[in-house]
Every structure is written in C-alpha cells, then in structure tokens.
Amino acid sequence: MAVTVAQLFRLSRRFAHDQSSIHADHTLGKPISGTLVCLAILVCLVGALRFWRQQAAMLRGQALAGGWEIGVIAVAVVLCLVVILVLLIAVRL
C-alpha cells in the first residue's frame, strides 16, 4: 500500500492544474509512504508475536480468541489514517 501511495502522490503532480496543491502532495508523498511502511513492519512484528503466543497456548491445550494484539493493530491503523487525513487537509488550507 505504501508504494501505491507514493506513486499516486508523485503522479498527481503530472495531471493536476493547481500548482500549490501539487507541491503539497508531492512533498507529503514520501513521508506518508514511509509511515505506512513502518506501520506494515509493526503489524508483521505484532503478528509474529501473536503467532508464538497462539502456539504456546495450543501446547497448553487452549486457544486465544482475542487479545491486546488486535487492539494495538486497530488503534495504530486508525491513528495513522487520522494523522494522514489531518495532514492532507492542513496542507490544502
């Protein structure tokens, strides 16, 4: 997703008519993409941790139905989306 965001922000420069919004989108493309890559790494690490916890629970004869990992991923995604939305709105004002 981060690569797609970076490419779309770079391509918007070629097809838009308003030069101020073009420059804002172009400068925000790389930081937003970097943030999404970091979020993807965080999700992979939390997923690996959950996998090991699930395997340990299965050895004990139990199964994990939920946990803090799901909440961490949900909160991180929502916060990331809100920050990106606020940044895009602030730059266009």
Side-chain angles (χ1 to χ4, degrees), residues 9 14 19 24 27 29 50 65 69 84:
F9 275 94
R14 183 176 295 172
Q19 295 299 320
T27 57
R50 179 162 175 84
E69 297 96 349
I84 290 171

Side-chain angles (χ1 to χ4, degrees), residues 46 50 66-78:
V46 171
R50 179 162 175 84
W68 61 269
E69 297 96 349
I70 308 300
V72 166
I73 291 174
V75 168
V77 168
V78 169

Side-chain angles (χ1 to χ4, degrees), residues 10-85:
R10 295 295 175 164
L11 284 175
S12 68
R13 180 179 225 180
R14 183 176 295 172
F15 298 112
H17 299 291
D18 183 16
Q19 295 299 320
S20 63
S21 68
I22 294 170
H23 182 67
D25 288 346
H26 188 74
T27 57
L28 281 178
K30 283 186 179 180
I32 290 174
S33 296
T35 303
L36 290 174
V37 167
C38 291
L39 182 63
I41 292 170
L42 174 74
V43 168
C44 286
L45 292 174
V46 171
L49 177 67
R50 179 162 175 84
F51 172 79
W52 291 111
R53 287 188 61 222
Q54 185 72 21
Q55 292 298 317
M58 287 173 61
L59 284 174
R60 293 189 309 266
Q62 301 171 342
L64 299 176
W68 61 269
E69 297 96 349
I70 308 300
V72 166
I73 291 174
V75 168
V77 168
V78 169
L79 284 177
C80 188
L81 291 175
V82 168
V83 167
I84 290 171
L85 179 66

